[in-house]
Amino acid sequence: MALELRPNCEFCDKDLPPEATDACICTYECTFCADCVETKLQNVCPNCGGGFSPRPIRPKIEWREGLSVAQKPPSAKRVHLSYSIAEIEAHTLRIKDIPPAER
Ligand SMILES: [Zn+2]
Ligand SMILES: [Zn+2]
C-alpha cells in the first residue's frame, strides 16, 4: 500500500503534483493545499474531522528498485468536496478548538 498522491486540493482545486511542498493530508489521505488547511479549514478535515500533516514527497530518483514516482505514479483522479461551504464552516467551528489528539 502506498499513498495515492491525489492530484489536487479538494477545496480550491489547486494542482498538487507529487513534488508539491504545500500538499497536506489527513489519515484518510483527504488532500488539501496548505493555504486552504490554514485559512479555510483551520486544520479540521471537512470529511473526517481529523488534523493534517504535510504530505511526504515521493522520490523521483529510483534509489531502490521499483520505488520512485515513475514506477509508482500518482493518482490522476481529481477529488472534490461533497459538502457546501456552509456545512464545512459549521463542521470546522464545532471541531477546530479541540486538539487533533483529542478529537
Ligand atoms: Zn486549496
Ligand atoms: Zn479526512
Side-chain angles (χ1 to χ4, degrees):
M1 272 288 283
L3 291 179
E4 285 179 42
L5 302 176
R6 298 178 188 170
N8 67 305
C9 173
E10 284 188 41
F11 195 103
C12 72
D13 200 36
K14 179 184 183 178
D15 285 338
L16 295 171
E19 71 276 14
T21 54
D22 64 339
C24 298
I25 55 173
C26 78
T27 65
Y28 296 100
E29 213 180 339
C30 308
T31 304
F32 297 89
C33 73
D35 186 53
C36 286
V37 165
E38 196 177 316
T39 65
K40 308 245 169 35
L41 306 173
Q42 299 179 70
N43 200 34
V44 177
C45 177
N47 298 313
C48 71
F52 292 97
S53 290
R55 185 178 71 187
I57 294 177
R58 185 167 299 166
K60 55 175 173 273
I61 296 168
E62 190 181 3
W63 299 103
R64 296 287 193 184
E65 196 183 333
L67 298 178
S68 75
V69 90
Q71 271 85 19
K72 305 274 182 205
S75 164
K77 192 175 164 232
R78 298 182 86 82
V79 179
H80 303 285
L81 281 172
S82 54
Y83 301 103
S84 70
I85 300 289
E87 284 172 321
I88 293 166
E89 278 174 2
H91 174 87
T92 301
L93 261 179
R94 215 153 58 98
I95 300 170
K96 70 182 172 70
D97 294 325
I98 306 168
E102 292 169 26
R103 287 179 192 166

